[in-house]
Amino acid sequence: GIVFGFSTGLFLGSLDGDVRWRVMLLLGCIMPILLIVCVFTVMPESPRWLTANDRSAEAKEILRKVYPPGFDVDHILQGIHESIERDAAAENAVGWSVIFHPSPAFQRMLLVGVGTAVAQQAVGI
């Protein structure tokens, strides 16, 4: 990312000051615009989200498009239903005690996660 930024600055250095920032802004908008267009035109809705919002028929159609012809998508849809039910049960079972009184394994996970965030800020990149 840094090399790309410096090389872009090198290429745009010969442009006039009023034009330079506009081109840089335009270059920063190209990739997000392409991603937004792809999301709206290419990507289907999430079958899990559709199932969670009681739109199982639409989820089944999308699964039929994604999986090969003849594949049993009913089994996949049933698995999604079970996963949503397990997630709902687990959501109520876990509280703040996991954070305030962590197990040794969870302490290591917290140490790695917080340590990575602190190191990233300390390095300055």
Side-chain angles (χ1 to χ4, degrees):
I2 293 173
V3 173
F4 181 70
F6 279 122
S7 61
T8 304
L10 178 68
F11 291 125
L12 297 179
S14 63
L15 295 177
D16 186 35
D18 288 342
V19 176
R20 188 180 312 146
W21 72 268
R22 290 183 175 113
V23 172
M24 193 69 117
L25 182 67
L26 177 69
L27 289 174
C29 293
I30 291 173
M31 186 58 84
I33 288 171
L34 288 175
L35 288 174
I36 289 171
V37 168
C38 286
V39 164
F40 284 122
T41 58
V42 177
M43 285 183 62
E45 292 283 341
S46 165
R48 181 179 170 86
W49 183 84
L50 289 170
T51 303
N53 289 300
D54 296 327
R55 294 166 60 181
S56 295
E58 291 176 56
K60 195 174 192 177
E61 288 301 317
I62 289 175
L63 286 171
R64 282 193 183 127
K65 290 179 187 176
V66 173
Y67 281 92
F71 194 85
D72 184 23
V73 294
D74 292 327
H75 181 67
I76 302 294
L77 198 58
Q78 181 62 30
I80 291 173
H81 278 293
E82 291 170 2
S83 173
I84 291 171
E85 290 171 3
R86 278 194 310 267
D87 288 348
E91 190 175 298
N92 297 328
V94 177
W96 285 97
S97 64
V98 174
I99 302 292
F100 292 125
H101 306 289
S103 67
F106 200 74
Q107 282 178 344
R108 286 189 298 273
M109 287 186 246
L110 283 173
L111 180 66
V112 169
V114 172
T116 302
V118 169
Q120 181 181 8
Q121 292 300 316
V123 171
I125 293 179

